[in-house]
Amino acid sequence: MRDFSITIAGGGSTYTPGIIMMLLNHQDIFPIRKLCLYDNDEERQAVIGEACEILLKERAPQIEFEYTIDPVTAFTDIDFVMAHIRVGKYAMRELDEKIPMKYGVVGQETCGPGGIAYGMRSIGGIIEILDYMEKYSPNAWMLNYSNPAAIVAEATRRLRPDSKIINICDMPLGIMVRMAKILGVDEKDLDIRYYGLNHFGWWTQIKDKEGNDLMPALKEYVKENGYDISITEDQHEDESWRETFRKVRDVYAVDPETLPNTYLKYYLYPDYVVEHTDPKYTRANQVMDGREKEVFSAAKEIIEAGTAKDCKFMEDDHALYIVDLARALAFNTKEKMLLIVPNEGAIENFDPTAMVEIPCIVGKDGFEKINQGRIPQFQKGLMEQQVSVEKLVVEAWIEGSYQKLWQALTLSKTVPSAKVAKQILDELIAVNKDYWPELK
Ligand code: NAD
Ligand code: G6P
Ligand code: MN
């Protein structure tokens, strides 16, 4: 067994401490020799970096640790980049959410106009990190979970088709952990089939190890409760997430043949979402007042105390899928995982050039897709519309095209008309001047 060198890009992220705790607790299965945090906001990262330095000195002094804003230092001699950057940070997320809401349109981090705006900011940041990695550590893998993952994945497919990047999301896994709890089984024992786009997919099979069909029992539960269960120890525990899990009941009702991803509520019930959102206090505000404050004050406490003995950093359970992915690539475990990959026939009756989320077998040479067959008209129609939005955003970014971005917003199922699309777009352009390419 060898040990690995990892760079976390977006070192100042609220998720960094949880991932480091999780990595520390899994040294037996995934040993680390070097850990580096990289960010382009020196001040923000320094708080997390200093606290993690104290933590690592106490709990894993054998790991070489540093935090830096210098790309040469960050990307030299590494095996994996784990990327979770947020270009524009929460200040821009807040605008992504609030501007559409002015027009009665869903304001969301990754869905609708907000997700499009975020995509236009993320593409450049991710390509930059990918290029640093390839320049200084050409054999490394980038595991990207920076959002909006669907748009980022399409952008890297177009712009860096041969790069060693895998895009992933924790939502399906988070839902499967809930499914397993509902069924009273272990999540690792679920044998699933799933297809869709990122934040836009459906389960078509859930079986146990022996091949018994668990769908009927699960559907009985979901029909009444969605995926809402009373667990408190995960990242998605607060009231707005519980509401999302409950709403799955209504999403499920539209197609009781499958079980849906939570994010479909923004496309199938946009009116409900808008009615239940306070336009002055959106999810970004909740996160800034919640997770961000908690993580940064925990970090500051460590720095002030000079010790991480009573540290409040919590291991991020969900993030275990990132270690599973890195382990699969490093040790050829051939684990089955949901990844965002080029379709190329895996969903037979769907655009071969689309980036789709499907189960794959992961090993040393990367991933092998598992064919999901043909999909029904309802899902196909929804996915064709949404994938076109994502492709138009990437084309708009590459070509600097106002027209294509307007088309992207117009095509989004969350937007009622080309007129509203234009109004929202023009406001988004004005506030994104520092982040988007110039549009003509
Ligand atoms: P955050 O704002 O706390 O952290 C993001 C960090 O990225 C900041 O410190 C920021 O300075 C840094 N950054 C921004 N642009 C950068 C660049 N060009 N280069 C280097 N660093 C840069 O955000 P967060 O809430 O912790 O989320 C981080 C990211 O993880 C977001 O993209 C979020 O959507 C994503 N996320 C994805 C999943 C998934 O399922 N794929 C799950 C959770 C979070
Ligand atoms: C889920 C999704 C992520 C998303 C996150 C938002 O985990 O899979 O893609 O970034 O939720 O959570 P937040 O608490 O920031 O609203
Ligand atoms: Mn996600």
Side-chain angles (χ1 to χ4, degrees), residues 157-309:
R157 184 192 72 85
R158 283 285 309 270
L159 298 166
R160 298 292 183 273
D162 301 319
S163 293
K164 287 170 78 176
I165 176 170
I166 296 181
N167 295 286
I168 39 173
C169 171
D170 68 357
M171 195 76 257
L173 181 69
I175 294 170
M176 280 162 60
V177 169
R178 286 165 177 266
M179 289 174 170
K181 291 219 163 107
I182 293 164
L183 295 163
V185 299
D186 191 65
E187 180 272 319
K188 289 268 182 211
D189 292 341
L190 295 180
D191 179 17
I192 62 126
R193 288 174 68 80
Y194 181 97
Y195 66 80
L197 311 169
N198 176 237
H199 290 184
F200 207 95
W202 295 265
W203 281 267
T204 54
Q205 172 189 297
I206 294 160
K207 290 185 176 169
D208 66 14
K209 262 189 172 160
E210 285 76 44
N212 298 310
D213 188 4
L214 305 177
M215 274 293 235
L218 207 46
K219 284 179 178 178
E220 276 306 306
Y221 185 92
V222 172
K223 205 166 83 182
E224 301 297 327
N225 310 290
Y227 301 133
D228 187 33
I229 52 174
S230 42
I231 57 170
T232 49
E233 74 269 24
D234 90 353
Q235 167 210 340
H236 302 118
E237 79 199 35
D238 56 18
E239 185 43 39
S240 67
W241 271 107
R242 287 201 68 175
E243 189 281 323
T244 291
F245 288 119
R246 279 196 297 271
K247 190 66 187 168
V248 167
R249 196 174 63 164
D250 297 333
V251 179
Y252 166 73
V254 185
D255 179 31
E257 293 297 309
T258 55
L259 285 168
N261 192 300
T262 45
Y263 276 90
L264 288 158
K265 90 166 176 182
Y266 297 108
Y267 302 95
L268 301 183
Y269 294 99
D271 45 356
Y272 167 90
V273 169
V274 170
E275 275 162 32
H276 289 80
T277 304
D278 178 350
K280 294 201 181 68
Y281 195 80
T282 57
R283 181 69 195 158
N285 301 107
Q286 294 175 16
V287 174
M288 285 186 275
D289 291 342
R291 186 173 70 238
E292 188 183 38
K293 279 217 168 76
E294 284 157 25
V295 169
F296 279 81
S297 41
K300 284 175 188 150
E301 276 175 33
I302 295 175
I303 297 167
E304 269 158 37
T307 170
K309 209 160 36 66

Side-chain angles (χ1 to χ4, degrees), residues 63-134:
I63 298 176
E64 188 187 320
F65 176 78
E66 71 187 310
Y67 54 99
T68 180
I69 57 163
D70 171 37
V72 185
T73 311
F75 294 96
T76 303
D77 177 33
I78 48 165
D79 302 301
F80 293 101
V81 175
M82 298 180 174
H84 54 209
I85 64 168
R86 183 186 292 285
V87 179
K89 293 175 277 191
Y90 292 125
M92 292 309 295
R93 176 177 178 174
E94 185 178 5
L95 293 169
D96 291 346
E97 293 170 352
K98 289 185 177 171
I99 289 171
M101 281 294 292
K102 284 208 245 171
Y103 301 90
V105 170
V106 169
Q108 214 278 328
E109 182 195 22
T110 64
C111 303
I116 292 172
Y118 187 13
M120 290 290 286
R121 291 196 302 275
S122 291
I123 296 172
I126 293 295
I127 296 286
E128 182 180 72
I129 288 172
L130 194 52
D131 288 349
Y132 287 145
M133 178 185 91
E134 296 193 326

